Amino acid sequence: MTRPFLDNLSARRLFLDLHLLLRTVSGPGRGNDLDDVIQSLGFVQVDSVNTLARAHDLILWSRRGQYRPRALENAVARHRSAFEHWTHDAAVIPMQFYPMWRLKFARDDARMRAQWSEARRHRWEVEIETVLQHVADKGPACSLDVGPGEKRSSSGWWDWHPSKAALEFLWRSGRLVVCHRRGFRKFYDLAERIIPEEMRNRRIDDQEIIDWAMSEALDRLGFGTSGELAAFFEIVTREEAKAWCANALASGRIIQADIEMADGSRRLAFTTEANLDHARSLPEPSSHVRLLSPFDPALRDRARAERLFDFHYRIEIYVPESKRRYGYYIFPVLQGDRLIGRLDAKRFGKTLVVRAFWPEFGVRVGKARRSALMSELERVRHLAGADLVEYSRGWLNE
């Protein structure tokens, strides 16, 4: 039998639609609407970089223009509709996924205990019960509240003072939960005081969790290799992912298809008939210009972005005025189903300064596109807390 084929344009559109970036959808970006966005994405990466807005805030704002940071704070710290933990990095995760994270807790526990030599590990392992008792007796605590008198360091978590390392270990292994943040500093409390009882008491066996993680990843990516599906939540091992795909393929739950890449080559991937039908029924994309976070879930896999969109994220662009090369402080710009360029913008006080826009190869910046880009910058000004947008001389590199 001939394998199904998905051309590059359809593949890009399917991928973007599943990441809520193909169509313009209105919504308040708070409460149930925000919960739906996070659930649809699967998670939102949390990062402290804040040249314009924090990564998680820009990710959510790019999908809901009315979103403001307080809404995510409320989801985690007040409504408890989401919790913080780890996928490939720190992330905000829907609370209904909490029971599936028990496998992640157990594996993180074992990995962290095995990751350091016994001599190094002993420094923080002996503090675990002390830190846990401190939180139990005194309530939410941050790293400044534990380990008085211990030497402080910030060069890596294995170099943190022992009680801080113990605090992080207790969080990663599931006994503590990030209950809120102050600024960007995490405060931790006992899981039983934060996680809703229904989620805390629900037990699912490991095989069910593996099946859930792989199925949910495929639903959100549309297509992928076993490794890409495993990497989505980073719960399933690569070996488990290969076995799951083999069994799901044999039982007819998934199929294989040839996915066309941006350079015209084909890549064999797992998908479903439902995803292919979805790709065939998609409308034309919105012409809305979107400013994306460098950590946007659609772009976090740099190799996939290159294959699918011909977007070479790590390309070096020399920025003379700042004496540095392009990096995580440059924002990808999406229009429709195409990444059209990269933007250098930074907030200085109450001014959003736009220093440069570099269009991708073959992209023309005509009057309409320039107007759409400037409109998006005016919109993001409100998220950034700026009063005006200022454009540097020669900012538009046409």
Side-chain angles (χ1 to χ4, degrees), residues 52-53 58 61 65 67-69 291 343 345-354 373-391:
L52 190 157
L58 192 55
W61 174 85
Y67 166 84
R68 294 297 180 268
L291 188 64
L343 185 89
K346 187 174 182 179
R347 183 188 65 253
F348 293 92
K350 288 293 186 179
T351 302
L352 175 58
V353 179
V354 179
L373 176 59
M374 294 177 75
S375 294
E376 180 75 345
L377 289 164
E378 184 63 28
R379 285 190 289 269
V380 81
R381 169 178 72 80
H382 299 284
L383 176 71
D387 292 334
L388 72 156
V389 180
E390 180 181 289
Y391 294 87

Side-chain angles (χ1 to χ4, degrees), residues 193-243:
R193 294 202 288 233
I194 301 299
I195 303 301
E197 184 177 5
E198 178 187 1
M199 294 295 103
R200 197 173 68 248
N201 292 338
R202 188 179 174 197
R203 293 292 185 271
I204 303 174
D205 69 44
D206 291 355
Q207 287 306 310
E208 286 181 282
I209 292 173
I210 291 168
D211 182 69
W212 173 88
M214 294 293 287
S215 299
E216 294 287 312
L218 189 53
D219 286 347
R220 287 166 176 79
L221 293 176
F223 48 85
T225 64
S226 64
E228 287 171 333
L229 298 179
F232 187 81
F233 288 122
E234 286 289 358
I235 294 175
V236 179
T237 69
R238 299 307 186 265
E239 293 73 20
E240 289 167 343
K242 289 178 182 178

Side-chain angles (χ1 to χ4, degrees), residues 73 148 157 301 321 327 347 350 381:
E73 295 171 13
W157 95 264
D301 185 329
E321 65 274 19
R347 183 188 65 253
K350 288 293 186 179
R381 169 178 72 80

Side-chain angles (χ1 to χ4, degrees), residues 100-116:
M100 276 64 79
W101 245 250
R102 291 190 180 281
L103 182 56
K104 181 81 165 174
F105 298 154
R107 288 179 169 177
D108 278 3
D109 183 311
R111 180 183 56 78
M112 286 185 287
R113 290 183 189 273
Q115 191 167 343
W116 295 280

Side-chain angles (χ1 to χ4, degrees), residues 117-134:
S117 66
E118 185 175 346
R120 175 179 287 174
R121 192 178 68 221
H122 178 74
R123 297 176 59 242
W124 57 267
E125 277 190 319
V126 297
E127 299 298 330
I128 288 174
E129 293 306 320
T130 301
V131 169
L132 195 60
Q133 193 62 51
H134 176 96

